[in-house]
Amino acid sequence: KAIKIITIKDRTTETQLAKAYNIKYGTFRFWKNKNAVPLNIAYDLLTRAKIKINLHHVNVARQKQKIKYPKLCPELFRFIGYILGDGHLTKNNVMLHNSNIKLRKEFLELGEKLFNIKGKEEFPKNRVPKSIFNSKFMAMIMHEVFSVPYGNKARIIKTPNQLYLMGNNCVSNFLSALFNCESYVGPQEIEFSTTSSFIAPELCNLLLRFSIVPRLITRKNHYRIYISGYNNLLAFREHVGYTHPNKLEILNLNLSRPIKRLISNVDLI
């Protein structure tokens, strides 16, 4: 259906369409007749034809188990948050580099639940341990649907557009995963550091959903978000929170101290 729509709309032929994808026409026609078009090409064709994609499971050649197409849910945005934080995306792999075993295991559990794909842990010599999924399908969904960049991503990461249409539970999980990876909990405040000029103001706006008033400090090619003051720290713990055990412990300790030692100008505005 998508191919027919494209050939009519763009006044092209199936032969020209196959050539555009650098595929022999015979191969292209075989895929079409067998309804076995590779996922990246199928996704592009459906997008060009403006056909709504409504998948639940996907059959993959030479793999008995069906892969799930994830629904928009809090766990999915938490998974994306981890990738944007300490993750890395290639065309074949989705991974998380983190020294904390709890976060690595959580990442593996999320990926398996969302996609029905099993990942594994790897321990490169003299490098940070990582959790990894060897899956072209998962990588393509993260890149094409949720705009997670391939390769070196630090300066260009953005909040997925889909998140702005979701409820606070999705936003909370997204923020929690990012702060698990990229924040530092000091005696007086939480500090989040990024080199992305896109995501820094986006995170500030998302925090305001929970009445958390951050401060954004811009330096040369570097952005820091500070959360300080008792009310802000308490709201962060209640609505966003940490699963990173060390960061959670320090935040709980800070909130157990006398209130007067945690008052800042943020509370007085």
Side-chain angles (χ1 to χ4, degrees), residues 58-104:
V58 178
N59 289 319
V60 178
R62 296 181 295 278
Q63 185 167 318
K64 294 181 180 180
Q65 197 171 20
K66 288 185 177 180
I67 295 176
K68 289 167 64 177
Y69 188 92
K71 296 180 180 179
L72 296 178
C73 61
E75 292 83 2
L76 176 60
F77 288 101
R78 190 173 191 86
F79 188 73
I80 295 170
Y82 277 128
I83 299 171
L84 293 180
D86 280 342
H88 184 74
L89 199 68
T90 71
K91 291 188 176 181
N92 298 313
N93 302 302
V94 179
M95 61 194 84
L96 175 74
H97 299 266
N98 198 285
S99 58
N100 188 271
I101 187 172
K102 184 174 181 179
L103 299 190
R104 295 199 308 272

Side-chain angles (χ1 to χ4, degrees), residues 15-241:
T15 304
Q16 292 171 323
L17 203 55
K19 188 176 181 180
Y21 288 106
N22 199 25
I23 299 165
K24 292 181 180 179
Y25 175 65
T27 303
F28 185 82
R29 191 163 182 79
F30 175 80
W31 286 345
K32 173 191 170 186
N33 293 338
K34 293 290 184 179
N35 196 26
V37 181
L39 193 61
N40 59 330
I41 296 176
Y43 179 85
D44 189 62
L45 290 170
L46 290 167
T47 302
R48 288 178 60 182
K50 296 183 179 179
I51 296 175
K52 184 178 179 181
I53 301 172
N54 187 19
L55 300 174
H56 296 288
H57 291 85
V58 178
N59 289 319
V60 178
R62 296 181 295 278
Q63 185 167 318
K64 294 181 180 180
Q65 197 171 20
K66 288 185 177 180
I67 295 176
K68 289 167 64 177
Y69 188 92
K71 296 180 180 179
L72 296 178
C73 61
E75 292 83 2
L76 176 60
F77 288 101
R78 190 173 191 86
F79 188 73
I80 295 170
Y82 277 128
I83 299 171
L84 293 180
D86 280 342
H88 184 74
L89 199 68
T90 71
K91 291 188 176 181
N92 298 313
N93 302 302
V94 179
M95 61 194 84
L96 175 74
H97 299 266
N98 198 285
S99 58
N100 188 271
I101 187 172
K102 184 174 181 179
L103 299 190
R104 295 199 308 272
K105 287 189 174 181
E106 183 186 0
F107 183 72
L108 291 175
E109 290 169 0
L110 287 169
E112 184 172 357
K113 179 180 179 181
L114 292 165
F115 292 91
N116 201 31
I117 298 172
K118 285 188 177 293
K120 61 181 179 180
E121 285 190 281
E122 293 184 356
F123 302 89
K125 189 176 180 180
N126 300 324
R127 298 182 67 182
V128 177
K130 63 182 176 182
S131 294
I132 182 169
F133 293 92
N134 298 311
S135 171
K136 290 182 179 180
F137 173 76
M138 184 187 288
M140 191 210 75
I141 294 299
M142 289 295 105
H143 180 70
E144 298 290 348
V145 180
F146 298 103
S147 302
V148 178
Y150 287 129
N152 190 355
K153 66 183 188 334
R155 296 183 182 276
I156 55 175
I157 57 172
K158 299 179 180 180
T159 301
N161 289 331
Q162 296 88 340
L163 185 62
Y164 295 108
L165 304 176
M166 308 303 293
N168 284 350
N169 198 12
C170 289
V171 174
S172 172
N173 275 271
F174 177 75
L175 290 172
S176 179
L178 270 172
F179 274 79
N180 271 334
C181 296
E182 298 291 350
S183 71
Y184 164 75
V185 185
Q188 301 280 343
E189 60 196 4
I190 295 171
E191 177 186 329
F192 182 96
S193 180
T194 180
T195 56
S196 171
S197 61
F198 304 108
I199 206 166
E202 292 169 350
L203 294 184
C204 290
N205 288 331
L206 291 174
L207 287 166
L208 290 172
R209 280 205 190 190
F210 306 102
S211 299
I212 301 169
V213 183
R215 289 178 291 130
L216 176 59
I217 305 298
T218 302
R219 294 188 172 90
K220 185 178 179 180
N221 299 323
H222 201 85
Y223 307 87
R224 292 185 180 180
I225 298 170
Y226 293 96
I227 301 171
S228 59
Y230 182 82
N231 291 340
N232 282 325
L233 293 174
L234 184 62
F236 182 90
R237 184 177 69 177
E238 291 181 352
H239 299 294
V240 178

